[in-house]
Amino acid sequence: MELRFETRRSDSPWVDTVWSCTSEQVTAMTSVAGVHWGLVFWRQDGRAYAGVTGPGTRTGTAPVPEGAAFTGIEFALGTSLRALPTPALVDGGVELPDTTRRTFRLDGARWETPRADDAEALVGRLVRAGIVVRDPLVAEVLRGHRPAVSERTVERRFRAATGLTRGAVRQIARARTAAELLALGAPAASVVAKLDYFDEPHLARALRSYVGRTARQLREGAGGAIALHPDQRVTS
């Protein structure tokens, strides 16, 4: 039983990663907290589906359509859908209606369903149509700049664009990095030092909240299917 993932980073400033996945005899997986919203497309038993996924603030168990093939686009922090604010997607998502094997409907228009290798072309069309938008202040903050507005304004706009606070983004990203390092065999003590956790119990609490695995489970690959695969093939 397994999920087979392949991901790649994107050169587009609007996209973080593009991924594809197939499921084999898997009906459920451990979901992992994440900071990005996305579009996901999948096929199962000859039918096509599409949906919008939101950022996740906690781990949980998610159903997996058995024998399905997925393609997903995770968008850069600070981007959002014009018609669907990102805060409304946190810890959830929506299935898009009227999806066919070749097209899907979004924001009142029909679009061609992308393959993993042409995801950026779709995103470019959505951007030009004004359907995907972004707040440039968020990108400025993520680059370490200090905008000429109050901290209260920065936090309000950051949360409006991402659905999360800056603190939550940092904590989730750090826990995911810790999980990836542990799955690759790094000792817990070195992960604590590298990522500035207070101690190993602090790391364990973060893993429990955001990843749903212990350090030992991550090192041993135990616990079943999980939406985090540091040993997957990554292309660029």
Side-chain angles (χ1 to χ4, degrees):
M1 300 192 304
E2 62 180 332
L3 297 174
R4 296 172 179 260
F5 277 89
E6 183 175 327
T7 68
R8 65 173 175 83
R9 292 286 180 180
S10 176
D11 293 331
S12 168
W14 298 85
V15 179
D16 183 72
T17 55
V18 178
W19 58 272
S20 59
C21 172
T22 57
S23 63
E24 296 182 2
Q25 298 181 331
V26 175
T27 58
M29 69 176 180
T30 299
S31 60
V32 177
V35 300
H36 302 282
W37 72 276
L39 290 173
V40 60
F41 310 90
W42 70 99
R43 291 186 180 186
Q44 182 192 28
D45 297 332
R47 294 189 59 186
Y49 306 85
V52 182
T53 59
T57 62
R58 57 184 181 267
T59 185
T61 301
V64 178
E66 187 174 355
F70 301 83
T71 297
I73 304 170
E74 290 196 347
F75 285 77
L77 274 175
T79 65
S80 59
L81 282 171
R82 175 181 62 188
L84 193 57
T86 307
L89 294 168
V90 174
D91 292 323
V94 296
E95 186 173 332
L96 298 175
D98 197 20
T99 299
T100 72
R101 296 188 67 180
R102 299 187 63 178
T103 65
F104 68 101
R105 186 173 294 279
L106 179 65
D107 200 3
R110 186 162 287 285
W111 307 89
E112 186 174 349
T113 301
R115 300 181 302 273
D117 59 359
D118 59 7
E120 285 83 359
L122 168 66
V123 173
R125 292 192 291 272
L126 295 175
V127 170
R128 289 190 293 273
I131 291 173
V132 174
V133 297
R134 66 179 170 190
D135 186 338
L137 180 142
V138 174
E140 190 176 348
V141 169
L142 292 171
R143 289 195 297 267
H145 299 164
R146 301 189 65 175
V149 295
S150 69
E151 279 295 306
R152 185 174 181 178
T153 297
V154 170
E155 191 62 46
R156 176 179 56 80
R157 287 177 57 178
F158 192 96
R159 189 160 193 165
T162 69
L164 304 170
T165 65
R166 285 181 287 171
V169 167
R170 287 192 295 268
Q171 291 173 32
I172 292 168
R174 181 168 64 163
R176 290 178 67 101
T177 299
E180 292 166 357
L181 292 171
L182 289 163
L184 291 171
S190 69
V191 173
V192 166
K194 182 180 180 66
L195 299 180
D196 293 324
Y197 283 101
F198 182 72
D199 53 20
E200 289 191 30
H202 184 201
L203 169 63
R205 288 192 296 272
L207 293 174
R208 184 168 59 250
S209 295
Y210 299 124
V211 182
R213 291 286 190 276
T214 65
R216 174 177 289 182
Q217 285 175 319
L218 288 163
R219 283 195 301 270
E220 296 177 354
I226 185 171
L228 181 78
H229 290 260
D231 60 341
Q232 65 193 299
R233 186 161 62 121
V234 177
T235 60
S236 58

